[in-house]
Amino acid sequence: MNEKSQQLTNRIAVLRAERKMTQKDLAEKAGVSRQTILSLENKKYSPSLVLAFKIAKVLDVAITQVFQYKEESK
Amino acid sequence: MNEKSQQLTNRIAVLRAERKMTQKDLAEKAGVSRQTILSLENKKYSPSLVLAFKIAKVLDVAITQVFQYKEESK
DNA sequence: CATTAATGTAATGAAAACTTTACTTTGTGT
DNA sequence: ACACAAAGTAAAGTTTTCATTACATTAATG
């Protein structure tokens, strides 16, 4: 809906499903609320760098494997 | 001083100096205020993932080259 | 079909990021 | 020493992340 949400995409749901983890599982392991994971997957607000690192760590991949950034053409 | 500030470190100042850029230069190219760059370099608060990507882009290195995350031993 | 797990929606509030402005200190060069 | 650029300090205000709680909907399974 807004422009900002489209410059950052993530594959959290996919990677999570591959590992057969629920949102709750991932949230607990990352030390955040389930709402936070859900919001990232769906509403896709931009997480903090620390949270991004934590999620990548739990999913056992590089941060860039989870999050892709496309700068917009101004 | 607080625990959180120590789990995330960055090499912004070093990389910036190598490229002979001022804080103002980097701020403008990244599209943020100079205060934000200064705060990241010194007070080291944790940036958003998008900002981290922008800074890495301007410095022309991978995000992990700029920011290092060390999880703490609970 | 009934039960439970998983996901989604929504609202409120706290905390942190980031902006803006203004001023001070430190460096650098002439 | 002077001037100017760069870096630092500080404070107030806005925006966004993230937590918390509660409830609704959608799988999945017996």
Side-chain angles (χ1 to χ4, degrees):
Chain A
M1 289 302 156
N2 65 68
E3 323 74 49
K4 276 194 175 179
S5 64
Q6 280 154 336
Q7 55 185 348
L8 189 72
T9 57
N10 73 73
R11 304 204 315 132
I12 297 176
V14 175
L15 295 167
R16 181 173 62 72
E18 283 176 6
R19 286 151 185 73
K20 299 197 198 302
M21 296 175 71
T22 66
Q23 292 175 342
K24 188 172 173 234
D25 291 338
L26 177 54
E28 284 171 357
K29 290 193 178 178
V32 295
S33 70
R34 184 177 66 86
Q35 278 308 314
T36 296
I37 300 300
L38 178 62
S39 295
L40 287 174
E41 287 187 1
N42 293 355
K43 301 179 186 171
K44 290 173 185 156
Y45 62 38
S46 175
S48 68
L49 178 60
V50 166
L51 176 55
F53 268 119
K54 285 180 183 170
I55 290 173
K57 177 92 180 175
V58 172
L59 295 174
D60 196 32
V61 292
I63 199 168
T64 51
Q65 298 290 310
V66 186
F67 300 93
Q68 285 82 40
Y69 177 69
K70 312 278 183 192
E71 70 275 39
E72 54 205 18
S73 50
K74 299 177 184 172
Chain B
M1 289 308 154
N2 65 67
E3 323 75 46
K4 277 194 174 179
S5 63
Q6 280 153 336
Q7 56 185 349
L8 189 72
T9 57
N10 74 73
R11 304 203 315 132
I12 297 175
V14 174
L15 294 168
R16 182 173 62 72
E18 283 176 6
R19 288 152 184 72
K20 298 196 199 303
M21 297 176 69
T22 66
Q23 293 175 342
K24 188 173 173 236
D25 291 338
L26 177 54
E28 284 172 357
K29 291 193 178 180
V32 295
S33 70
R34 184 178 66 87
Q35 278 308 315
T36 297
I37 301 299
L38 177 62
S39 295
L40 287 175
E41 287 187 0
N42 294 354
K43 301 179 186 171
K44 289 173 185 156
Y45 64 39
S46 175
S48 68
L49 178 60
V50 166
L51 177 54
F53 268 119
K54 285 180 183 169
I55 290 172
K57 176 92 180 177
V58 172
L59 295 174
D60 197 32
V61 293
I63 200 168
T64 51
Q65 298 290 309
V66 187
F67 299 94
Q68 284 81 40
Y69 177 68
K70 311 278 182 192
E71 70 273 42
E72 54 204 16
S73 50
K74 301 178 184 173

